[in-house]
Amino acid sequence: MTAMSARIASVDTAATPLTMEVPAAAVRIPSDHRKHHPNAIQALAEDIAVHGQRQPIEIVREGNGYRLIFGALRLQAHLHLGRPTVPAIIKEADQFVSEAAMRLVSISENMLRNPLTILDRSVAIADWCAIYRAAQPRLKPGPKPANSVQTELSANFALNSDEAFRAQSEAFSASFSDAASAFLNISRRSVFNALKIASIPALQRDRIALHALACWFPRRTEPVRRIISIEN
């Protein structure tokens, strides 16, 4: 931690923050904040409509309203849904030593996030697909699902042919709205690739998890081919 960040932290935690529902329309988003694509806003709005908001936004009092510190996408998703209020952590202006300190909190919130590697993303999609598959009604007799106490959902996702992978990829990708599919990069092909990668035995996955091969971003196609080739 640098001297500047230490000073900011000590001031920022000087008072216990207040968390409450505030009028969404009363929160101003500063012009220097990150801009979000409409697909991202709609995709998060769809998720909030089903699961609720998991993490409040953070704001600071400003006149008769509030100024956003971080959480613009969550705020815009609430506005998209037409919800009058949004859960927020409320700070007071005197909890920050300067405007720069306030802006640094916003910057660090976005820049210090650790993006998923293509391997982590593939396992997450396989788990998500397994949950989706288990929730669908059975149309004909088939093998019983794997033991529910098994720790890895992706380990239960036993498909024994590329045709089975393709069929499940198509069904799962079709369950997303157009906006969510575009924002999450969920297509039949991307799901197929993810399922193939996640089907690599856990021991081999562990060996490559921190390797550069696993650390490419998921929109790149060449690393997908290279990771898939490991199991062949």
Side-chain angles (χ1 to χ4, degrees):
M1 180 179 285
T2 65
M4 176 180 286
S5 61
R7 185 184 180 198
I8 291 169
S10 65
V11 173
D12 195 36
T13 56
T16 302
L18 174 65
T19 303
M20 61 182 294
E21 294 278 336
V22 302
V27 181
R28 179 178 71 86
I29 302 177
S31 60
D32 55 5
H33 274 236
R34 179 182 176 189
K35 305 302 185 289
H36 295 285
H37 193 281
N39 284 344
I41 297 169
Q42 184 175 332
L44 183 58
E46 291 170 2
D47 184 77
I48 289 174
V50 175
H51 301 110
Q53 185 171 319
R54 300 176 180 87
Q55 181 182 2
I57 65 173
E58 187 164 311
I59 57 179
V60 63
R61 294 186 193 275
E62 180 183 68
N64 294 324
Y66 306 93
R67 171 181 172 179
L68 185 74
I69 300 176
F70 63 77
L73 182 57
R74 280 163 275 167
L75 173 60
Q76 289 173 304
H78 272 261
L79 292 170
H80 181 82
L81 290 169
R83 295 191 173 183
T85 63
V86 59
I89 296 172
I90 304 174
K91 299 286 186 71
E92 301 297 336
D94 60 9
Q95 290 179 249
F96 299 91
V97 296
S98 65
E99 283 286 320
M102 198 180 302
R103 177 62 178 141
L104 279 175
V105 173
S106 173
I107 293 170
S108 63
E109 168 70 12
N110 285 301
M111 293 194 66
L112 294 181
R113 292 176 183 171
N114 192 19
L116 291 176
T117 66
I118 192 168
L119 182 62
D120 292 335
R121 172 183 162 86
S122 297
V123 172
I125 288 177
D127 285 350
W128 195 350
C129 199
I131 294 168
Y132 168 80
R133 184 186 183 200
Q136 304 310 303
R138 291 182 177 275
L139 300 179
K140 59 182 179 180
K144 292 183 179 181
N147 191 333
S148 59
V149 300
Q150 195 162 356
T151 56
E152 281 193 64
L153 289 169
S154 54
N156 298 338
F157 203 87
L159 299 176
N160 54 14
S161 69
D162 278 3
E163 191 56 40
F165 276 114
R166 290 190 187 96
Q168 192 57 42
S169 301
E170 182 168 6
F172 179 63
S173 59
S175 69
F176 289 83
S177 70
D178 289 344
S181 179
F183 174 59
L184 297 170
N185 191 29
I186 295 288
S187 65
R188 181 174 60 181
R189 183 64 187 173
S190 68
V191 174
F192 175 85
N193 285 338
L195 296 182
K196 291 286 285 183
I197 292 171
S199 68
I200 297 172
L203 179 60
Q204 290 173 283
R205 288 206 320 242
D206 286 346
R207 287 174 175 172
I208 65 173
L210 300 180
H211 191 276
L213 181 64
C215 295
W216 291 71
F217 290 102
R219 294 180 187 274
R220 305 284 183 88
T221 57
E222 182 56 31
V224 173
R225 299 190 192 101
R226 291 174 63 194
I227 293 175
I228 290 175
S229 69
I230 290 174
E231 65 170 342
N232 297 328

